[in-house]
Amino acid sequence: MKLTVGVKIGAGYALALLVLAAFGILSYRNATGYVEAIGRRVSDYQLIDSLQGVMSAMQDTETGQRGYLIVGEDRYLEPYRSGIAAVDKYLSKLRSLTEANTDQQRELDALEPLVAAKLDELKETIELRKSKGFDAALKVVQTDRGKQIMDDIRKIVGQMSGRVRMSVAQLDDEISARSRMSIYGIVYGIPVAAITLSLLGLLVTRTITHQLRESIAQLSSSAAEILATTTQLASSAMETATAVSETTATVEQVKQTAQLTNQKARYVSDSAQKAANVSTVGRTAVGDAVQGMHRIQEQMESVADSIVRLSEQGQAIGEIIATVNGLAEQSNLLAVNAAIEATKAGEQGKGFGVVAQEIKSLAEQSKQATAQVRTILGDIQKATSTAVLATEQSNKAVDAGVKQTGETGESIRLLADSIGEAAQAATQIAASSQQQMVGMDQVVVAMESIKLASTQNVAGTRQAETAAQDLHTLGQRLGDLIGSRSA
């Protein structure tokens, strides 16, 4: 199977990354192992220091105890007291350092009771020296119980220190081995990786260069052929675009002529339509006028009837006024009589006299009002008579107007029919002109589309020609970059 250039380059990079990854993993493992070994070695040395610290602190406690037993002064107990504090500190540190080692934890479990027993023995002798003297304390020392405990402590501490020192020696060997591996990896791995990658790069470069030479040769040949073809196409497309532009200009002139004709036809159609609308409105207005004249005639008749009824009601009002006038005279007479009676009554009739006076005053006002109403009623009766005469004359005028309006309506109807026929003919002419205009628009749109396509073809061929030229130049540059086959 023939591999592509991209696949080959990718495979080369993948192999290079694989080599570097292997070298990196090996270096990482050596480095992490080296760091871990150093850490364990440091921890072991801390463990050894702590074990030595325990022994040194225990020896300080014995020194302080012996000095106090011999001399009997408290100042000799300073090593004893500082040794006790140091023992507690070192035992806590040993417990922390050996958390991950169960064997060492068991040894500490055995060591701590011995340390406590030794400290109790020292404390006991010190207390006896204080309370009972040197001889009593000496007897306890001579039992060798404290010496036996101290020997057991030295034994356990020595065993633990020995094992830890063996571990330190093993770690030193491991550290040395990992150091050598790291040095070997740097001294031999890097040159091997460099040589491998160089050979791989040379192989990939030769393979890709060979394929690129063949491809560039084909590319240059194809680009030359495409360039010749696109040059011919560009020339033909330019001639076609020129012809299409001339045709488009001619069609545009025809379109303008059709537009002018269509505008005139639409103007005639609109004018005829307006005349038809005016005649229709005129017919409607004449019909409305005839109906209005009839309504006026009916209203005049109604007005005449109303005037007659008004005259009759005026007579009735005159009779009512006469009756009201009689009532006013009687009320005046009654008021006079009431005033006479009130005067006769004296003080008791004063209020009644006032009422009688008011009634007399109202009666006088009623007489005056009836007189005014009688005067106004007389004027109304005169005006009513005049209105009756005017109404009769108006009825005659309305009859003549109805007759003339009917004759005018018939003339307008005939005129509207003639105008309607003319408007219909003008509308048909405008419709035909509009159809012609639509056809011309379609022709113009089609020519514009052809012109646009021709322009695009010219531009496309120019771009193709440029692209072919660029492709040919690119092939030459690639050939110059890669070099000749002999090179």
Side-chain angles (χ1 to χ4, degrees), residues 136-382:
L138 182 60
K139 289 180 181 180
V140 175
V141 173
Q142 289 175 347
T143 59
D144 290 336
R145 179 165 59 90
K147 179 179 180 299
Q148 184 63 41
I149 294 172
M150 197 64 184
D151 291 340
D152 293 337
I153 291 173
R154 288 191 181 94
K155 181 180 178 181
I156 293 174
V157 171
Q159 291 175 353
M160 291 181 68
S161 298
R163 280 191 285 270
V164 173
R165 291 183 186 280
M166 291 176 61
S167 176
V168 169
Q170 293 175 357
L171 289 174
D172 289 338
D173 295 337
E174 183 180 353
I175 290 170
S176 298
R178 291 188 178 277
S179 298
R180 288 193 298 272
M181 289 295 295
S182 298
I183 293 172
Y184 292 157
I186 294 172
V187 172
Y188 300 108
I190 293 177
V192 170
I195 293 171
T196 302
L197 295 177
S198 299
L199 293 175
L200 180 62
L202 181 61
L203 178 62
V204 172
T205 302
R206 286 183 176 276
T207 304
I208 293 174
T209 302
H210 178 70
Q211 291 182 354
L212 286 176
R213 286 197 187 99
E214 295 179 353
S215 300
I216 290 169
Q218 296 177 359
L219 180 64
S220 299
S221 178
S222 300
E225 295 178 358
I226 293 172
L227 181 60
T229 304
T230 52
T231 302
Q232 294 177 358
L233 288 175
S235 177
S236 300
M238 182 61 70
E239 294 177 357
T240 303
T242 303
V244 169
S245 298
E246 295 176 355
T247 305
T248 303
T250 303
V251 171
E252 186 65 28
Q253 293 177 357
V254 175
K255 177 185 176 182
Q256 292 177 358
T257 303
Q259 286 179 345
L260 181 60
T261 303
N262 183 51
Q263 290 176 358
K264 292 181 178 180
R266 291 178 67 86
Y267 176 75
V268 173
S269 176
D270 292 339
S271 299
Q273 190 65 38
K274 289 179 181 178
N277 293 334
V278 171
S279 64
T280 302
V281 172
R283 290 179 62 183
T284 303
V286 170
D288 293 340
V290 171
Q291 292 179 0
M293 293 300 293
H294 285 297
R295 285 195 298 271
I296 291 171
Q297 187 177 13
E298 293 174 357
Q299 290 175 359
M300 290 302 297
E301 293 176 356
S302 177
V303 169
D305 294 336
S306 298
I307 291 172
V308 172
R309 288 194 300 271
L310 181 62
S311 178
E312 294 175 354
Q313 291 173 357
Q315 293 177 359
I317 291 170
E319 295 176 357
I320 293 170
I321 290 172
T323 303
V324 172
N325 192 20
L327 290 173
E329 291 177 354
Q330 292 178 3
S331 297
N332 189 15
L333 181 60
L334 289 173
V336 172
N337 293 331
I340 294 171
E341 294 295 329
T343 301
K344 291 179 179 181
E347 292 295 330
Q348 291 81 8
K350 284 184 178 181
F352 186 71
V354 172
V355 173
Q357 184 64 34
E358 291 294 330
I359 293 172
K360 181 179 180 181
S361 177
L362 290 174
E364 290 295 333
Q365 292 177 4
S366 298
K367 288 178 68 177
Q368 293 175 3
T370 53
Q372 291 176 359
V373 171
R374 185 178 292 108
T375 302
I376 293 170
L377 184 60
D379 295 336
I380 290 173
Q381 288 176 349
K382 292 179 182 179

Side-chain angles (χ1 to χ4, degrees), residues 58 94 253 267 351 444 448 484:
M58 292 302 296
L94 286 171
Q253 293 177 357
Y267 176 75
V444 171
E448 288 294 336
S484 62

